[in-house]
Amino acid sequence: MSINLFNKIMTAKRIAVCFMGGLLFSACSKDNEHPKPINQEEVITTVRVVLTPGAGSMPIELQSRDLDGDGPNAPVITVSDNLLVNTTYSGRIVLLNETMTPIEDITEEVAQEANDHQFFFSSTGPIGTIVYADEDGNGNPLGILFNLSTLTAGPGTLTVTLRHQPKKPNNGTLADAGGETDIAQTFNFTIQ
C-alpha cells in the first residue's frame, strides 16, 4: 500500500470519527437544552416564632439564630418574655436566611410550596392546645400560622419542626408524616 493511499484512508477515518462525534455531541446537547431545575435546599439561619396574645399585649418572640449554619458555633436562642397563664396566642413562624444581602425570607418559599411542607409542634409543660390556622392547596395543615393556648404557671418547651415532602394527610405526628426535616428547634420558656 502506498503512503499516499494510507494517508487518504486515515484522513477518511478521522473525518468519519469527527462526524460521528459531532452527531453524538449534538444529540446529547439537545437532551440538555432545557434541563429540569433542581430545587436546592434553602439555607435557614433564623427561626422566629412570634406569639401574639389578644387585648393589645406585646408579642413574645422565640428565636433561634445560627449564622454559621453547620459551623462550630451553637445557635443563639432567645425568648423575649414569659408567656401568660390561661392565654391564647396567635402564632406565626418566620424563617430567614441572614447570610444573604438583603436578608432572604424563606417563609415565602415554604408558603409557595405549601403542598410539600408542614410544620409540626410538640410541647411540654402547661401548654393546652396547638391548632393549625392555615392550610396548603389541598386543605391539609401547613403551620406557618397557628394558635397556642397556655394553662397554668410553670416551665415549658415548644419544639417546632419543618418537614419537607411529608405524607399528607397525616395524623399530626412526625412518625406518621415521614419526609425530611428542614429545621427542628426547641424553645424553653416560663408561663406565669
Side-chain angles (χ1 to χ4, degrees), residues 114-115 117-118 132 134-143 168-170:
N115 291 346
H117 291 91
Q118 184 176 348
Y132 290 94
D134 59 358
E135 56 189 34
D136 66 17
N138 296 318
N140 294 305
L142 176 57
K168 290 188 176 186
N170 56 62

Side-chain angles (χ1 to χ4, degrees), residues 87-107:
T87 302
T88 298
Y89 292 88
S90 296
R92 177 174 51 91
I93 297 175
V94 177
L95 305 174
L96 302 174
N97 176 0
E98 294 191 79
T99 64
M100 303 289 288
T101 302
I103 294 170
E104 186 177 13
D105 186 348
I106 305 301
T107 318

Side-chain angles (χ1 to χ4, degrees), residues 51-106:
L51 300 173
T52 305
S57 298
M58 292 297 295
I60 295 168
E61 288 190 8
L62 317 173
Q63 179 174 280
S64 172
R65 193 170 187 217
D66 191 3
L67 296 181
D68 72 343
D70 292 333
N73 299 324
V76 176
I77 299 173
T78 56
V79 177
S80 66
D81 204 349
N82 295 325
L83 278 69
L84 302 172
V85 297
N86 296 320
T87 302
T88 298
Y89 292 88
S90 296
R92 177 174 51 91
I93 297 175
V94 177
L95 305 174
L96 302 174
N97 176 0
E98 294 191 79
T99 64
M100 303 289 288
T101 302
I103 294 170
E104 186 177 13
D105 186 348
I106 305 301

Side-chain angles (χ1 to χ4, degrees), residues 44 47 93 95 119 160-163 180-185:
I44 300 171
V47 178
I93 297 175
L95 305 174
F119 283 95
V160 176
T161 304
L162 174 61
R163 284 282 172 94
E180 294 181 26
T181 298
D182 285 341
I183 56 145
Q185 185 59 60

Side-chain angles (χ1 to χ4, degrees), residues 107-122:
T107 318
E108 294 174 5
E109 183 173 324
V110 171
Q112 290 170 356
E113 299 175 0
N115 291 346
D116 291 331
H117 291 91
Q118 184 176 348
F119 283 95
F120 293 85
F121 305 96
S122 61

